[in-house]
Amino acid sequence: MSLHLRYAAISDRGVVRQGNQDSVFAGAHFIAVADGMGGMAAGDLASAIVINTVARLDVPPPADSVVDELADAVADANRAIRRCVADDPQKEGMGTTLTALWFDGEWFNLVHIGDSRAYRMREGAFEQITVDDTYVQMLVDEGRITAEEAERHPQRSLLLRALGASEVEPAFQTIKGVPGDRLLLCSDGLSGPVSDADIARTLQGAATPQEAAETLVQQALDAGAPDNVTVLVADVIADDPGEQRQLIGGAAADARLAESDTAVLRAVKEAEEPKADAEAETEEVQPKARKQGRVWRTILACLIVLTLAAGGGMWWVRTQYFIGVSDAGNISVYRGLPFEVAGYRVAWVEVDSGRAAEDAVDDVETELESGIRADGIEDAESRLGELVDPAPTNANLDPLCSSADTGADSVPAAASDCRED
Ligand code: MG
């Protein structure tokens, strides 16, 4: 049995923001939400480029290569953003989330990157079917905070992955559609101010996707709508709903962007050009991008962190410490985050011990590679002292090479298993 979608979508600027950086697309086969970021650096462009690029998937998906084609479309969209930035370095730092579903009449093929969300209501059971690419979600996964604490965490908007970075790793999954399912795609402008319980109640109670979408947007507005609000509701139905027009909203529908801004049109068009051309052009733009070098990388990292962490983010990042391995290979105290933010490192060496990380025992070396978190600089320095203490009894370090060489019957330790002092 081939199923169908009946859908409605609304993108609202919200109460506080000057413009709308979200974009949305809905068609019979493809639905998507993107939330642009990078205020001065044109988050509206990023989400518009991505939505206008992936909207080509609103056709019945191929049976044998659906995931490849979905991945190609996302890669094209990312390339289009990067190309746009290479043409205009002032747009450096722009990026976007993307949560999209490609429907074949039975299965949904989902691609997701960032903190926009997909939810499903099935027979009264409400479920979030995407996992946020956020710092707080990582803390939840590690068992360091609860899901309830994550909802109130001051850094809940800090993204770990987004389109626009040099390397992107979207998540893919397939979900079987069942008649009666009601799906919701939304930006964090809904899921932030409106609780899951309220979203679930609205999805359950609304008679139509249009009613659900209007009610959800109103709930976000009533809650102060500090961010752009984008909502797409799609019902899985057995009967053919007849002709439904494609919907496009938010920045992607902005006349200035969709019709007048050649940057979007050109980026989208070039993203659809044959691969050989695309690769040749990538070769061309790389040296230009390299020229911007470290300066824009720093700006990008700061922009993302600042934009997404609601003001206090950079200050907060600078209060974080961990012990890791410096570029020179030494055990060092870092200020910042022990992971990349949207593909960029946001950490600076504060203290370099001069002790090579390869002198540490294997377990400690592994921990250092992923970063050992510390509670402030004093704790970090204290733990660094323990780690690099030259005493022969320091269990964090390999034994001294000389101690293994005493006695005629002793076996000299391999060079990699002992340390010189
Ligand atoms: Mg948002």
Side-chain angles (χ1 to χ4, degrees):
M1 177 174 57
S2 186
L3 302 171
H4 305 272
L5 297 179
R6 180 162 52 211
Y7 50 80
I10 300 172
S11 188
D12 192 288
R13 181 168 59 83
V15 172
V16 175
R17 295 284 168 90
Q18 296 286 319
N20 191 350
Q21 300 196 331
D22 288 358
S23 290
V24 63
F25 176 88
H29 307 280
F30 187 75
I31 53 178
V33 165
D35 178 350
M37 69 192 78
M40 284 164 52
D44 50 355
L45 269 178
S47 75
I49 287 171
V50 168
I51 287 297
N52 279 291
T53 302
V54 299
R56 71 180 194 228
L57 298 178
D58 190 29
V59 292
D64 53 351
S65 60
V66 57
V67 175
D68 287 346
E69 293 208 16
L70 191 53
D72 283 351
V74 175
D76 286 348
N78 197 58
R79 194 179 302 115
I81 296 177
R82 309 268 314 157
R83 211 176 257 160
C84 194
V85 170
D87 286 347
D88 180 1
Q90 285 195 321
K91 294 191 172 68
E92 199 63 75
M94 73 179 187
T96 182
T97 70
L98 176 67
T99 300
L101 294 161
W102 200 5
F103 186 50
D104 69 2
E106 183 178 10
W107 292 89
F108 289 96
N109 296 276
L110 183 149
V111 62
H112 168 77
I113 185 165
D115 67 350
S116 298
R117 290 181 174 176
Y119 294 96
R120 178 181 61 201
M121 177 68 81
R122 174 177 287 174
E123 294 178 352
F126 180 69
E127 184 185 1
Q128 182 180 334
I129 54 181
T130 49
V131 179
D132 295 347
D133 290 319
T134 56
Y135 175 66
V136 292
Q137 182 61 48
M138 185 186 74
L139 296 182
V140 171
D141 293 344
E142 289 178 354
R144 294 161 65 92
I145 61 172
T146 65
E148 289 70 33
E149 288 168 333
E151 285 180 17
R152 297 185 300 274
H153 196 284
Q155 307 308 325
R156 60 186 173 277
S157 296
L158 185 59
L159 279 195
L160 300 185
R161 277 187 280 274
L163 293 180
S166 56
E167 291 178 22
V168 296
E169 295 176 33
F172 296 91
Q173 58 176 307
T174 52
I175 303 149
K176 194 169 175 30
V178 172
D181 283 354
R182 174 164 282 177
L183 300 168
L184 166 66
L185 304 187
C186 66
S187 63
D188 65 340
L190 176 74
S191 55
V194 183
S195 71
D196 279 8
D198 286 342
I199 292 173
R201 249 191 305 277
T202 299
L203 287 180
Q204 179 75 348
T208 63
Q210 185 68 33
E211 182 185 326
E214 287 174 3
T215 307
L216 288 168
V217 169
Q218 191 57 51
Q219 284 175 297
L221 294 172
D222 292 345
D227 195 1
N228 307 138
V229 188
T230 297
V231 169
L232 189 164
V233 179
D235 285 354
V236 180
I237 56 176
D239 297 331
D240 189 342
E243 192 71 19
Q244 289 184 101
R245 64 187 178 93
Q246 290 182 336
L247 303 177
I248 189 159
D254 188 306
R256 181 181 69 83
L257 296 171
E259 293 169 16
S260 309
D261 194 311
T262 52
V264 174
L265 289 179
R266 191 155 48 107
V268 172
K269 185 170 176 295
E270 288 173 354
E272 292 170 355
E273 286 173 355
K275 285 277 179 299
D277 285 357
E279 278 165 17
E281 186 144 347
T282 305
E283 289 285 318
E284 251 175 57
V285 301
Q286 276 177 350
K288 195 171 175 182
R290 267 201 298 274
K291 272 187 214 162
Q292 311 304 325
R294 198 169 293 167
V295 174
W296 78 250
R297 276 184 54 148
T298 305
I299 293 170
L300 174 60
C302 292
L303 267 177
I304 290 173
V305 172
L306 278 169
T307 303
L308 297 177
M314 206 57 203
W315 171 83
W316 176 81
V317 167
R318 295 184 71 83
T319 65
Q320 304 301 300
Y321 292 88
F322 68 96
I323 304 167
V325 182
S326 70
D327 290 342
N330 295 332
I331 303 173
S332 302
V333 170
Y334 275 88
R335 183 200 289 252
L337 304 175
F339 52 83
E340 293 184 341
V341 176
Y344 298 93
R345 194 178 199 186
V346 193
W348 306 265
V349 171
E350 288 285 304
V351 182
D352 185 330
S353 71
R355 165 70 71 185
E358 63 183 18
D359 285 347
V361 297
D362 289 349
D363 286 353
V364 172
E365 199 174 344
T366 303
E367 284 184 59
L368 287 168
E369 290 293 342
S370 52
I372 300 171
R373 291 167 199 263
D375 294 328
I377 183 66
E378 285 182 13
D379 182 43
E381 288 181 337
S382 163
R383 295 174 76 167
L384 180 71
E386 291 169 14
L387 284 168
V388 303
D389 183 347
T393 53
N394 185 349
N396 295 308
L397 299 177
D398 292 329
L400 287 166
C401 292
S402 55
S403 66
D405 292 337
T406 56
D409 297 332
S410 66
V411 179
S416 59
D417 292 337
C418 67
R419 60 179 153 118
E420 304 284 351
D421 236 16

